[in-house]
């Protein structure tokens, strides 16, 4: 009989055997001195100030934080590379609820102090057109709507997993992952910082030339969060085309989700997306519609998504309301290259109209805008979100000032 982690152990053992066989069959592909000579350092530094003005709190949240991400990645020896990376997240100043510091009288800024292992992985390419990654790793699938690293927060989300990506057939990429632990943005000191269980991710993308068609299935079963145990099946098409100097980007997606394993709620809901934009000489305009269904008891769940990318930067809809949500949005932007000392300057804005998917009630509206400038290895960002509540949540304004440096 296979225990709770039996499947994972079998998959990990198989992956190790595949890596070992590749090592033995390619003993002359490299040596340790070459791998060490090709080793590159990893350094990613971010300083950010975040202010949150939320109507149901007497005090604003003010958070000045530092994130230093450092490590190394070796070159290949026997077609295998090694990566190790640590995070140091420090609160420099301010009063805010980091989710672990106990300051519940302030709005949440989910960047708790921490020093932890961010990634630790072996990557092997011995098998033709195949990459096997074993260990703690970053995983981003499609547009990160269902699985992503939540890179906006200071502590990113990683996975203790074995992942196999195969490109043996022309234009087809098959991506399979088994993971036993999601290392979430809240860190190990939080009761919600680690979710464990038997989880499977399957994604296959076929390049049609004018876009990529992906089909996917995600089976999630978390001991710490049985309410997020689900099975999701869907398809996504995304691509772009250039006509007369205008670049058109388009995407559409549909998915169905239902309860799985130990979820105490019996439910079945749908997801839909349609969006498009046009860009000409750096000027972009577009819009879209995204619907996450709800049956009145349970809404469509995306607990592993990079949620900040979707449904407004104020993050009012990190959990889908029980009645679901329909997000109709317009977006506009402008990017200009080589302005003075900057290699690029970009302005991006959104306006969202949020409605209940089940019943059509007005939930609220939101305006978002950001300005980003790139200078050598630095990136400077100013960002603002303003949520105006109707029947969901409370009025919320957020502003960020951020500096990123990447080696």
């Amino acid at each position: 009989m296979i225990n709770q982690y039996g499947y994972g152990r079998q998959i990990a053992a198989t992956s190790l055997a595949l890596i070992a066989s590749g090592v033995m069959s390619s003993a002359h592909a490299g040596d340790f001195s070459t791998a060490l000579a090709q080793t590159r350092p990893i350094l990613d530094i971010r300083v950010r100030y975040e202010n949150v003005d939320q109507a149901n709190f007497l005090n604003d949240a003010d958070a000045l934080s530092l994130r230093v991400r450092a490590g190394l990645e070796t070159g290949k020896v026997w077609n295998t590379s090694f990566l190790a990376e640590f995070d140091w997240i420090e609160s420099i100043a301010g009063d805010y609820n980091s989710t672990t510091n106990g300051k519940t009288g302030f709005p949440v800024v989910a960047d708790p102090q921490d020093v932890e292992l961010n990634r630790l992985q072996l990557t092997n390419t011995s098998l033709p057109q195949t990459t096997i990654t074993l260990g703690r790793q970053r995983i981003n699938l499609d547009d990160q709507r269902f699985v992503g690293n939540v890179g906006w927060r200071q502590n990113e989300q990683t996975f203790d997993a074995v992942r196999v990506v195969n490109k043996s057939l022309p234009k087809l990429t098959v991506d399979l992952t088994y993971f036993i632990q999601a290392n979430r943005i809240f860190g190990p000191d939080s009761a919600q910082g680690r979710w464990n269980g038997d989880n499977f991710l399957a994604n296959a993308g076929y390049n049609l030339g004018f876009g990529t068609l992906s089909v996917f299935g995600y089976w999630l079963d978390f001991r710490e969060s049985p309410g997020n145990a689900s099975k999701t099946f869907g398809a996504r098409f995304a691509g772009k085309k250039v006509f007369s100097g205008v670049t058109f980007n388009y995407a559409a997606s549909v998915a169905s989700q239902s309860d799985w394993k130990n979820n105490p709620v019996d439910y079945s809901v749908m997801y839909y997306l349609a969006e498009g934009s046009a860009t000409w000489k750096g000027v972009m305009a577009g819009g879209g519609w995204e619907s996450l269904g709800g049956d009145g008891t349970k809404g469509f769940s995306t607990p592993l998504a990079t949620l900040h990318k979707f449904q407004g930067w104020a993050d009012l809809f990190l959990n889908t309301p029980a009645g679901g949500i329909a997000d109709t949005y317009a977006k506009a932007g402008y990017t200009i290259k080589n302005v003075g000392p900057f290699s690029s300057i970009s302005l991006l804005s959104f306006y969202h109209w949020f409605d209940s998917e089940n019943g059509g009630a007005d939930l609220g509206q939101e305006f978002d805008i950001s300005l980003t400038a790139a200078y050598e290895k630095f990136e400077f960002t100013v960002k603002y979100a303003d949520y105006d509540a109707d029947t969901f949540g409370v009025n919320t304004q957020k502003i960020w000032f951020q500096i990123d440096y990447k080696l």
Side-chain angles (χ1 to χ4, degrees):
M1 185 166 119
I2 298 175
N3 64 20
Q4 181 177 7
Y5 298 107
Y7 292 113
R9 289 170 178 167
Q10 286 185 344
I11 293 172
T14 301
S15 300
L16 286 171
L18 289 170
I19 291 174
S21 67
V23 167
M24 295 302 293
S25 64
S26 59
H28 300 291
D31 54 34
F32 287 105
S33 60
T34 301
L36 290 174
Q38 295 176 347
T39 295
R40 66 174 187 88
I42 298 171
L43 182 61
D44 184 343
I45 301 173
R46 176 191 287 165
V47 178
R48 178 161 68 205
Y49 170 76
E50 179 171 345
N51 173 269
V52 182
D53 180 359
Q54 200 165 313
N56 55 342
F57 285 90
L58 294 176
N59 304 302
D60 287 5
D62 289 290
L64 179 62
S65 62
L66 167 70
R67 196 275 312 284
V68 178
R69 181 169 295 155
L72 59 84
E73 183 176 18
T74 70
K76 290 183 180 180
V77 56
W78 301 318
N79 290 321
T80 302
S81 62
F82 170 74
L83 185 151
E85 179 182 78
F86 288 84
D87 275 352
W88 170 39
I89 302 160
E90 184 68 26
S91 173
I92 300 174
D95 288 312
Y96 61 100
N97 179 7
S98 74
T99 71
T100 63
N101 62 6
K103 294 187 176 183
T104 55
F106 296 88
V108 169
V109 176
D111 291 324
Q113 292 192 142
D114 196 15
V115 177
E116 69 168 323
L117 178 68
N118 191 52
R119 290 188 290 168
L120 184 69
Q121 65 187 55
L122 289 171
T123 303
N124 179 269
T125 56
S126 295
L127 300 179
Q129 302 297 311
T130 302
T131 300
I132 301 173
T133 306
L134 180 65
R136 183 163 294 183
Q137 57 191 279
R138 177 184 298 143
I139 299 177
N140 291 317
L141 298 179
D142 293 328
D143 61 345
Q144 305 180 41
R145 190 57 180 104
F146 296 95
V147 182
N149 72 317
V150 199
W152 171 248
R153 299 275 30 126
Q154 299 285 48
N155 182 19
E156 72 173 333
Q157 178 170 261
T158 59
F159 301 87
D160 295 350
V162 55
R163 183 183 186 186
V164 180
V165 179
N166 180 270
K167 299 182 180 180
S168 296
L169 297 178
K171 301 182 180 181
L172 178 67
T173 299
V174 178
D175 193 329
L176 304 174
T177 297
Y178 168 83
F179 72 91
I180 60 172
Q181 182 167 282
N183 308 294
R184 306 178 72 228
I185 63 171
F186 308 105
D189 294 336
S190 169
Q192 296 298 313
R194 299 285 186 264
W195 282 358
N196 297 275
D198 285 305
N199 304 278
F200 298 88
L201 311 173
N203 187 297
Y206 187 79
N207 187 345
L208 298 170
F210 57 95
T212 297
L213 176 64
S214 302
V215 294
F216 52 85
Y218 305 135
W219 296 261
L220 308 179
D221 181 24
F222 303 114
R223 287 205 314 267
E224 294 80 3
S225 184
N228 280 303
S230 65
K231 52 185 176 181
T232 303
F233 306 99
R236 171 181 169 83
F237 176 77
K240 68 178 181 179
K241 203 72 176 177
V242 179
F243 293 102
S244 302
V246 181
T247 301
F248 295 92
N249 288 271
Y250 36 83
S253 184
V254 60
S256 65
Q257 183 179 93
S258 58
D259 55 286
W260 178 244
K261 292 295 181 75
N262 294 321
N263 194 319
V265 178
D266 182 7
Y267 75 101
S268 179
V269 290
M270 296 295 295
Y271 169 87
Y272 302 98
L273 168 74
E275 68 175 13
S277 66
T279 303
W280 179 72
K281 293 186 177 181
V283 179
M284 182 275 294
W289 174 78
E290 184 182 43
S291 171
L292 286 80
D295 61 5
T297 302
K298 173 72 174 176
F300 198 103
S301 172
T302 59
L304 301 181
T306 298
L307 292 168
H308 184 75
K309 287 183 62 178
F310 304 94
Q311 298 177 331
W313 298 338
D315 292 334
L316 267 293
F317 299 99
L318 298 179
N319 296 307
T320 303
I325 180 173
D327 175 15
T328 304
Y329 56 93
K331 59 181 179 179
Y334 179 62
T335 298
I336 185 170
K337 303 288 187 180
N338 301 317
V339 183
F342 301 106
S343 57
S344 67
I345 296 177
S346 296
L347 181 69
L348 178 63
S349 64
F350 287 86
Y351 199 91
H352 298 263
W353 294 266
F354 300 112
D355 299 294
S356 175
E357 192 271 341
N358 187 352
D362 293 336
L363 301 180
Q365 303 84 41
E366 181 170 326
F367 172 69
D368 301 323
I369 190 167
S370 70
L371 179 67
T372 303
Y375 169 73
E376 296 185 350
K377 299 181 185 299
F378 291 89
E379 186 174 84
F380 304 90
T381 302
V382 180
K383 191 171 178 179
Y384 175 73
D386 185 354
Y387 176 75
D388 183 13
D390 283 331
T391 62
F392 184 89
V394 298
N395 294 345
T396 302
Q397 294 82 39
K398 297 186 179 183
I399 190 167
W400 301 267
F401 299 94
Q402 179 172 302
I403 302 174
D404 287 279
Y405 172 86
K406 290 185 180 181
L407 189 63

